[in-house]
Amino acid sequence: MEELKIIYGLITSVWQLFKKHGSGMLTDGQWESLVADGEVQVKKYRGLGKQYEMLYRDMFDAVQKYYIRMKGDIRNEPLHSRNE
């Protein structure tokens, strides 16, 4: 049951990114803020276990790809570093 609480929190964290940054195109400054917010959450979920960190990273990558597509840039990889 504890695992489900963590996953619920993780999904809520992703929702909070959209709530804070909106669903439209981002400026460069807004993009940097989004990435910084995501990095904070990566560290949080890393502390709870590798499986949660990786799940968050997967979801954060999807969020970044969403914003990249909004900008009309259809690159395959998000700008967020995977090597942390």
Side-chain angles (χ1 to χ4, degrees):
M1 197 60 160
E2 183 63 28
E3 293 166 341
L4 288 178
K5 287 181 183 180
I6 294 171
I7 293 168
Y8 176 80
L10 189 148
I11 293 168
T12 301
S13 295
V14 171
W15 160 244
Q16 292 298 326
L17 290 174
F18 281 107
K19 187 175 176 186
K20 179 177 180 180
H21 298 282
S23 60
M25 285 192 298
L26 302 180
T27 65
D28 289 344
Q30 290 169 321
W31 174 264
E32 290 174 16
S33 178
L34 170 75
V35 171
D37 290 345
E39 295 290 340
V40 169
Q41 296 303 313
V42 167
K43 291 176 185 172
K44 172 184 174 180
Y45 290 105
R46 180 183 300 147
L48 296 175
K50 188 69 173 177
Q51 71 274 26
Y52 303 118
E53 176 190 357
M54 296 311 297
L55 178 57
Y56 185 82
R57 283 182 180 275
D58 290 343
M59 294 180 78
F60 187 48
D61 283 350
V63 168
Q64 289 178 299
K65 286 178 182 179
Y66 168 84
Y67 284 111
I68 289 168
R69 288 183 194 112
M70 289 295 295
K71 208 170 183 177
D73 185 349
I74 56 171
R75 292 175 287 180
N76 291 326
E77 287 297 316
L79 299 177
H80 172 66
S81 171
R82 295 175 182 262
N83 297 325
E84 291 186 18

